[in-house]
Amino acid sequence: MGWFSKGKDGFFLSTTTLDGVQRSQMLGVVHGEAIIGANIFRDMFSSVRDVVGGRAGGYERALSGARDAAMEDLIESAKEMGADGVIGIDFDYEVLGETNGMMMVCASGTAVKLG
C-alpha cells in the first residue's frame, strides 16, 4: 500500500488505491501545477555547493514550496468536482525556459467520491 493522508476536513490523498476503502464514483483526473523561477542568489550559492559539496537548501525550499502549491491546486480542483479524495497521485518535474531557468512541478491524480 502507498502513502495515505486524511485531513481534518475528511478529505484524503493517496498515492495508490486503498484496500478496504469503498469508492462509489471516479470523478476524473485532477491536476495542479506550479512554476518556480531560478534566483540569482540561489544560483550563486548553488554553484558554490557544486564545488564544495552539500545540499542546495535554497533550491530545496523553493521546490518544496512549488510542490505544496501544486498539491493545493490539485485538492482544490478535486473539491470543486465534489470529490472526497484523490487516489493515484503522481508528481512530474520539468525544466523550462530558454536558459532552463524555471522548473515546473505537476501533481495529478484521480478524484473519487466515497460510497
Side-chain angles (χ1 to χ4, degrees):
M1 184 143 84
W3 175 83
F4 172 77
S5 173
K6 187 169 184 178
K8 61 184 170 199
D9 62 354
F11 195 85
F12 73 90
L13 301 169
S14 171
T15 56
T16 61
T17 58
L18 299 171
D19 295 333
V21 175
Q22 296 294 322
R23 61 182 185 273
S24 62
Q25 189 176 13
M26 295 177 106
L27 302 176
V29 174
V30 288
H31 54 85
E33 298 90 13
I35 298 175
I36 57 172
N39 175 302
I40 187 168
F41 297 110
R42 218 174 16 228
D43 286 347
M44 278 193 302
F45 291 120
S46 180
S47 296
V48 171
R49 294 272 188 224
D50 284 347
V51 174
V52 299
R55 294 172 66 164
Y59 277 118
E60 288 176 352
R61 285 187 294 279
L63 186 57
S64 179
R67 191 172 42 249
D68 291 345
M71 282 298 293
E72 288 174 19
D73 285 352
L74 175 129
I75 291 168
E76 188 60 36
S77 294
K79 286 181 177 180
E80 286 175 7
M81 295 174 81
D84 296 317
V86 178
I87 59 172
I89 295 172
D90 182 54
F91 291 97
D92 186 31
Y93 302 87
E94 289 291 328
V95 177
L96 305 171
E98 197 171 300
T99 60
N100 294 331
M102 301 168 93
M103 177 172 273
M104 177 179 71
V105 178
C106 212
S108 62
T110 303
V112 296
K113 187 102 174 132
L114 296 178

